[in-house]
Amino acid sequence: MHRDTPLAEAATTLLKELIRNACVNDLTPDSGNEVRNADTLERFFAGTGVAVRRFEPNPTRVSIAFTIDGSDPEAEPLTLLGHTDVVPVDLPKWTHDPFAAEETDGRIYGRGATDMLYITAAMAAVTRDVALSGKKPRGTLTFVGCADEEARGGLGAGWIAEHEPDAFSWRNCLSEEGGSHLPATDGSDALVIVVGEKGAAQRRLTVHGDAGHGSTPYGREQTVGLIAEVARRVAAIETDVASDELWEGYVRAFRFDPATEQALLRGSSYESLGDLARYSHAMSHLTISPTVLRAGNAINVLPSTAHLELDIRPLPGQSQEDIDALLRDALGDLADRVTIEHLITEDATVSPTSGPLYESIVDTFSDFFPGVPVVPTIAAGGSDLRFARREGGVGYGFALHQSGQTLGNVLDLLHSHDEFVEVADVELTVKAYRALVRRFLGA
């Protein structure tokens, strides 16, 4: 397929190599092998004169940063955080080889094509283009290929923020995902910009009952029955809608009739949002999902201990203490029988819908889609941008999709079988990053 520009050609070629490197993160420390993608990126930047720095907190778990110093030390810097790892595949469910980067009918198929290697490739191509131009940007530009994002960044951006926080600037950061469209009911358009993300409040609930032989259960408190009742009560929790400016602006962007709009603002009628119902509910609620249940090892032994693990995602302003109180209230008379253990806990983070970088994003969107409103949203999952916000910077999800590529379409591709990205969206994202870098850094 003919590419619009050599820059787009470079990005799509790089994307395919990143997919073929198969840097699969199965959430264990020795998986990932992001060194393969780090080496690919280092070859991609060979001869450009950029400063290169590698980070390897665990063997083969390599992140890599490429920096072009700005001409004005006082100018705003820009850091592009693109992750290089991908999630595992269920191979029998794929009809395309997940690591062949096959291009068919205007699509590139492969694990990580959408999440987020096409953005990573666009970031790299634009950064290299700035380096090859021979003209320094006003502010410093850094592109980072981050390892381990799919496992919450402990061996990637999170490790860098903790151990090497001065390796590059966290002041203004871009990463996944943004620039998809909201399907307004009147046929108008709106573009999404991701300004924040929910936190983590993982819990393990433990109960104890009577041990014994499976053949003689009479008179014994059965631990499995107890944990089942705990799971039932937790699953029945219904949290209130968190109505704020972001939720209200998001709902109004769909231009529903007044009754539907008011119902959504009150936290009902999610079915009116179609394939965005689940995401929209998650964006507006603390969510609690029982995901792991463990009890017993042998079929003829009554277990004395059982565990229930919960994936809980808080919104900005919802504390870990509030979540424990909610769980204990739901457990009722069983609360004193349940031990609540904190696993991964992270507060939600959000950046302002104002400031130089946000305004540059809005203006860049306007270059491509004049007059189309921009709608800030909260991501239900996590990204490396939370580390930038914790370091005192701002972080936004930024990419760009063709008209008709809705937020629902993009979300459905994340971690899916036969994951793909439209070649036209790769090219549009490259153009958008190039325009934004020019606008923000004068590059």
Side-chain angles (χ1 to χ4, degrees), residues 256-269:
F256 287 113
D257 62 88
T260 302
E261 181 177 287
Q262 286 304 308
L264 283 165
L265 292 175
R266 292 192 301 268
S268 62
S269 293

Side-chain angles (χ1 to χ4, degrees), residues 47 91 113 130 139 163 203 210 212 233 277 356 408 412 440:
L91 192 56
V130 173
H163 298 279
R203 297 292 189 270
D210 294 334
R233 295 186 186 188
D412 282 348
F440 193 71

Side-chain angles (χ1 to χ4, degrees), residues 152 197-202 312-314 318 320 343-349 382 386-387 390:
R152 302 194 69 83
E197 60 195 65
K198 299 180 78 174
Q202 295 179 358
I312 303 176
R313 304 293 178 114
Q318 296 174 335
Q320 302 294 330
L343 303 178
I344 293 176
T345 58
E346 296 180 299
D347 290 340
T349 63
R386 69 189 185 282
F387 301 115
R390 289 178 193 162

Side-chain angles (χ1 to χ4, degrees), residues 415-436:
H415 300 187
S416 66
H417 308 311
D418 281 341
E419 180 182 353
F420 67 85
V421 65
E422 300 278 354
V423 173
D425 287 339
V426 181
E427 295 174 349
L428 196 53
T429 295
V430 170
K431 291 178 182 178
Y433 265 96
R434 193 66 188 92
L436 178 62

Side-chain angles (χ1 to χ4, degrees), residues 214-252:
S215 65
T216 54
Y218 179 75
R220 292 189 170 108
E221 182 175 48
Q222 297 199 22
T223 310
V224 170
L226 183 58
I227 199 66
E229 177 59 17
V230 167
R232 187 196 67 78
R233 295 186 186 188
V234 169
I237 295 174
E238 294 184 5
T239 58
D240 294 330
V241 65
S243 187
D244 57 16
E245 289 185 5
L246 290 177
W247 175 239
E248 292 171 5
Y250 173 83
V251 170
R252 293 191 171 108

Side-chain angles (χ1 to χ4, degrees), residues 84 90 140 178 200 207 212 307 351 391 432:
T84 59
D90 185 354
T140 295
V207 299
H307 308 281
S351 295
E391 291 294 319

Side-chain angles (χ1 to χ4, degrees), residues 62-80:
V62 178
S63 298
I64 187 165
F66 305 89
T67 299
I68 304 170
D69 289 332
S71 60
D72 180 359
E74 301 301 316
E76 292 282 346
L78 181 62
T79 301
L80 312 178

